Amino acid sequence: SIFGFRGLSKKDCSKSHIGLHQMCLDGVVPAIITQNVDGLHHLARNGGKWRNVPSEYHVSQNGVVAGAQSCDEFGVAVNNGDLCELHGNIHVVRCLNCGDLTAREEMQAILLAANQPLMEAVAIDKQKLRPDADYELDDGVVEKVSLVPCSKCGGYLKPDVVLFGESVPSATVTKCFDDLAQCPTLVCFGTSLHVFSSYRFVKWAADNGHPVVIVNRGPTRGDLQATLKIETESVGEFIEGLQIHLSQCL
């Protein structure tokens, strides 16, 4: 992701992120569980645009990516408060050996310095950019990438996200279920619920008498459990309109 991270790291929030954050502030939404790893639900707390975020931040060992002034400046707190990132956060790097955490932006600078000749030789092709900062490289180029070890123990590093084939940490799953148990209704926005890591919460809610509302374009895995299914061409515009309507009712 050294080649694709820059495009993801400067991405602004959508109407969905801003609307859901406002509904949290209004007390309408008590908790958010997201499958996304882009950190944009945190960015929504800071105006939703990267120019509002301090350029300098750090990662403390409780999983917080923080601005220089306070932990709320950048606002990335993994599985903290009213937000749970089911599949992790691409802006955090974890050592597989000692568990030390590093801000991905900080690691990007280290990776770029270690691979400067390679970065200068490879022209970035936007067609090869993939979601979550992935980038398709030829095998010959991959073999030339210099890896950077953990500065604390020399161990291997990886983005603090759940990769395909990996399991969601049990502590994360437990927090999601705890949050869900406190919510009167489960609303699913813009997801097919294809992967079981998210579908399990729909199944649990339905089995335990919690209404399930699904707002999506097209069918989802949870349609049979849904109390209400809403089809929409734009989930972002739906959330924006819902937030405005609810704020007028408060």
Side-chain angles (χ1 to χ4, degrees):
S1 64
I2 180 177
F3 290 90
F5 178 72
R6 181 57 54 197
L8 177 67
S9 67
K10 299 305 180 182
K11 187 177 181 180
D12 291 338
C13 291
S14 68
K15 296 178 180 179
S16 298
H17 305 104
I18 299 298
L20 286 172
H21 171 58
Q22 187 58 51
M23 283 190 276
C24 284
L25 293 179
D26 292 340
V28 176
V29 175
I32 295 175
I33 300 173
T34 178
Q35 300 176 80
N36 298 334
V37 300
D38 51 25
L40 291 179
H41 284 289
H42 296 292
L43 188 61
R45 301 177 177 184
N46 296 277
K49 293 186 180 297
W50 272 91
R51 64 173 178 269
N52 295 330
V53 180
S55 58
E56 297 181 359
Y57 56 89
H58 67 278
V59 181
S60 68
Q61 296 313 300
N62 64 356
V64 177
V65 179
Q69 298 181 5
S70 73
C71 290
D72 292 329
E73 290 283 358
F74 185 71
V76 177
V78 181
N79 303 332
N80 186 31
D82 58 6
L83 176 61
C84 185
E85 295 178 302
L86 188 61
H87 296 148
N89 190 306
I90 197 69
H91 296 281
V92 181
V93 175
R94 181 182 296 273
C95 174
L96 297 178
N97 182 50
C98 70
D100 186 66
L101 300 176
T102 306
R104 181 63 180 82
E105 188 79 18
E106 178 183 339
M107 183 55 58
Q108 181 73 3
I110 297 173
L111 286 168
L112 290 176
N115 292 276
Q116 184 175 356
L118 183 62
M119 296 299 296
E120 293 175 350
V122 176
I124 301 299
D125 183 355
K126 292 184 178 181
Q127 298 300 319
K128 294 184 177 181
L129 289 171
R130 295 295 178 262
D132 302 337
D134 289 339
Y135 186 85
E136 290 186 7
L137 283 173
D138 296 334
D139 292 342
V141 178
V142 173
E143 294 173 356
K144 296 178 181 179
V145 174
S146 296
L147 300 180
V148 176
C150 174
S151 61
K152 298 293 180 61
C153 73
Y156 289 108
L157 303 173
K158 71 178 287 286
D160 196 23
V161 299
V162 178
L163 300 176
F164 183 78
E166 295 181 333
S167 298
V168 178
S170 58
T172 300
V173 176
T174 298
K175 183 186 186 309
C176 289
F177 276 123
D178 288 345
D179 288 345
L180 180 55
Q182 302 302 315
C183 296
T185 301
L186 173 63
V187 184
C188 304
F189 290 108
T191 173
S192 67
L193 299 168
H194 179 70
V195 296
F196 182 75
S197 59
S198 57
Y199 171 69
R200 71 178 110 192
F201 302 115
V202 171
K203 189 175 184 303
W204 183 94
D207 290 345
N208 288 272
H210 291 238
V212 176
V213 178
I214 296 177
V215 181
N216 195 51
R217 178 182 179 183
T220 79
R221 187 179 181 180
D223 285 356
L224 292 179
Q225 285 82 23
T227 309
L228 174 64
K229 171 69 182 298
I230 299 175
E231 287 280 347
T232 178
E233 290 296 313
S234 173
V235 173
E237 291 183 3
F238 180 91
I239 291 176
E240 181 182 47
L242 178 64
Q243 183 271 313
I244 293 174
H245 173 74
L246 292 176
S247 66
Q248 295 172 344
C249 298
L250 296 176

